[in-house]
Amino acid sequence: MRTANALNHKRKAAILLTALGPDLSANVLKCMSEEDVEKLSVEVARLEKITPDQRGEVIEEFRDLCAAQNYISEGGLDFAERNLLAAYGGDKAAEILDRVKRALEVVPFDFLKNTDPAQLLSFIQDEHPQTIALVLAYVKPSHAAAIMSKLPAELRVDVAERLVVMDRTPPDVVRRVEAVLERKLSSIISHDLTTAGGPKALVDILNWVERSTERTIMDGLTETNPEIAEEVKNMMFVFEDILTLEDRAVQQILKEVDIKELSIGLRGSSKEVQEHIYKNMSERASEQLKEDMEFMGPVKLRVVEESQQRIVAIIRRLEEAGELEISRTGEDEVVV
């Protein structure tokens, strides 16, 4: 189990964002750059499981850091140390100050510092020797030694030579390598903890941000992680949400949906959704739809869900084309 101290800064920020809730999180995102919003959104989407204790530790650490940074801005480190000593005592004050100093430092590959050497070895052994050398230059010497000793002999020599001649690597190169490796590592590490965050948490936040911010995040997710982007899109508007659409919007959607597709999709929906569809069709069309559903016979749930997904995809396409606007503020309001 990972404690809060074992989490990297981005993971802590993601946990804090989910703890704040959608409306407050949206206000936080508005104050950030597009690049940082995209990175943090990816982290929120990847966030799988944390314990209540970890969440509490992250919130407490955030509070302590805010207090310490306020003291620093008022009178510098010495002033902050005196106030923290008075408020928390020696050990706690030293711990908070150390966190502040580390938070102000940008250490490449910081997300690897608490990774088990054996896991890190399996993670990087197939990378280019130059990449392996770059990683070993930044991880703990004890971890680097354990990894180096387990590399194949020929690769070990190649990495060692590159490590020796390595001098100054351009920051942009380090950032690119770091971003790629962090993305890969996040996809293979599992956490046996309680559920929190994930795509649903990001969806809750996106439902409260401005449309332009939502598009920036989703465009970035589509580029960096298409699978997560598609999962988030699917959760942002589900088939049952048709019930929240105004009549004009439903009529617009019905023009684009095949009647047989609709008859299958409605099989797994509530009576309320079905009635909302019927009332926006002509009497003849609604009767035909009801007959199709009645005489269709049993349909596998998987087939119904696939049909509903295709209908939702049409709704999303209409929205993206500007022909349909779905409110993102929690209000049941649609403008066509």
Side-chain angles (χ1 to χ4, degrees):
M1 183 177 297
R2 304 172 75 186
T3 65
N5 287 337
L7 302 173
N8 63 41
H9 296 318
K10 282 198 292 186
R11 182 57 55 89
K12 290 179 181 179
I15 292 172
L16 181 64
L17 207 61
T18 59
L20 289 174
D23 49 348
L24 290 177
S25 297
N27 289 332
V28 172
L29 292 175
K30 290 177 183 177
C31 300
M32 300 170 63
S33 67
E34 289 188 2
E35 181 181 1
D36 287 339
V37 167
E38 180 183 328
K39 289 180 180 178
L40 188 51
S41 298
V42 171
E43 195 67 32
V44 170
R46 287 181 179 152
L47 192 61
E48 294 178 358
K49 300 175 181 180
I50 60 171
T51 65
D53 286 343
Q54 282 181 324
R55 186 185 295 108
E57 288 176 27
V58 168
I59 294 172
E60 182 180 356
E61 179 179 340
F62 176 71
R63 182 200 64 194
D64 292 342
L65 288 175
C66 285
Q69 289 176 338
N70 284 338
Y71 291 142
I72 291 173
S73 63
E74 290 175 19
L77 280 173
D78 290 339
F79 179 78
E81 186 173 8
R82 288 195 301 272
N83 282 276
L84 291 171
L85 280 170
Y88 297 102
D91 291 342
K92 183 68 172 178
E95 178 187 338
I96 294 173
L97 277 177
D98 183 57
R99 284 178 178 174
V100 171
K101 292 174 183 177
R102 283 189 282 111
L104 295 175
E105 297 175 355
V106 179
V107 182
F109 303 102
D110 183 63
F111 63 96
L112 295 177
K113 69 179 181 182
N114 293 298
T115 304
D116 180 80
Q119 189 176 41
L120 185 53
L121 171 65
S122 65
F123 171 60
I124 67 170
Q125 63 184 355
D126 294 326
E127 297 292 334
H128 190 280
Q130 187 66 35
T131 300
I132 298 175
L134 184 61
V135 171
L136 296 188
Y138 284 103
V139 300
K140 297 177 183 177
S142 58
H143 286 192
I147 293 166
M148 184 75 83
S149 65
K150 298 295 184 181
L151 292 174
E154 186 176 345
L155 179 58
R156 190 186 310 159
V157 173
D158 192 357
V159 170
E161 289 178 349
R162 293 171 185 273
L163 194 57
V164 170
V165 300
M166 187 183 301
D167 184 13
R168 296 179 180 177
T169 306
D172 61 324
V173 174
V174 175
R175 282 194 296 270
R176 284 202 302 272
V177 174
E178 185 180 21
V180 170
L181 292 184
E182 186 170 13
R183 213 161 39 236
K184 289 183 179 179
L185 186 62
S186 296
S187 67
I188 65 172
I189 291 181
S190 61
H191 309 286
D192 184 19
L193 305 169
T194 57
T195 301
K200 180 60 169 62
L202 180 58
V203 169
D204 289 340
I205 293 171
L206 292 180
N207 283 334
W208 286 89
V209 300
E210 295 175 352
R211 183 62 172 154
S212 59
T213 301
E214 178 198 313
R215 286 190 182 279
T216 298
I217 293 172
M218 292 308 302
D219 288 347
L221 273 177
T222 300
E223 183 177 343
T224 60
N225 200 317
E227 291 183 3
I228 286 181
E230 188 62 25
E231 187 174 358
V232 170
K233 285 180 180 178
N234 288 337
M235 295 176 68
M236 291 186 71
F237 187 96
V238 297
F239 190 77
E240 291 290 324
D241 289 337
I242 289 176
L243 191 59
T244 68
L245 302 181
E246 291 183 348
D247 292 345
R248 287 181 299 167
V250 176
Q251 292 160 18
Q252 178 75 10
I253 294 165
L254 290 175
K255 294 177 183 178
E256 306 290 330
V257 179
D258 180 78
I259 189 72
K260 293 192 178 298
E261 183 89 274
L262 186 60
S263 65
I264 296 173
L266 285 178
R267 288 296 293 268
S269 65
S270 66
K271 292 293 184 182
E272 290 79 9
V273 171
Q274 292 177 13
E275 291 299 328
H276 196 45
I277 295 292
Y278 297 151
K279 76 174 185 178
N280 283 288
M281 305 175 72
S282 67
E283 185 176 349
R284 180 179 177 184
S286 65
E287 288 301 322
Q288 180 186 342
L289 178 58
K290 292 175 184 178
E291 288 180 8
D292 287 348
M293 292 175 63
E294 182 179 354
F295 295 107
M296 185 182 303
V299 180
K300 291 182 179 179
L301 179 60
R302 173 181 55 81
V303 175
V304 173
E305 290 177 344
E306 289 174 352
S307 179
Q308 291 180 349
Q309 288 173 354
R310 286 191 289 270
I311 294 172
V312 168
I314 290 174
I315 295 173
R316 290 210 311 263
R317 176 173 56 78
L318 289 172
E319 183 190 15
E320 291 171 359
E323 298 177 38
L324 190 73
E325 183 177 335
I326 300 174
S327 173
R328 297 300 187 199
T329 61
E331 299 175 3
D332 298 340
E333 181 181 355
V334 177
V335 179
V336 179

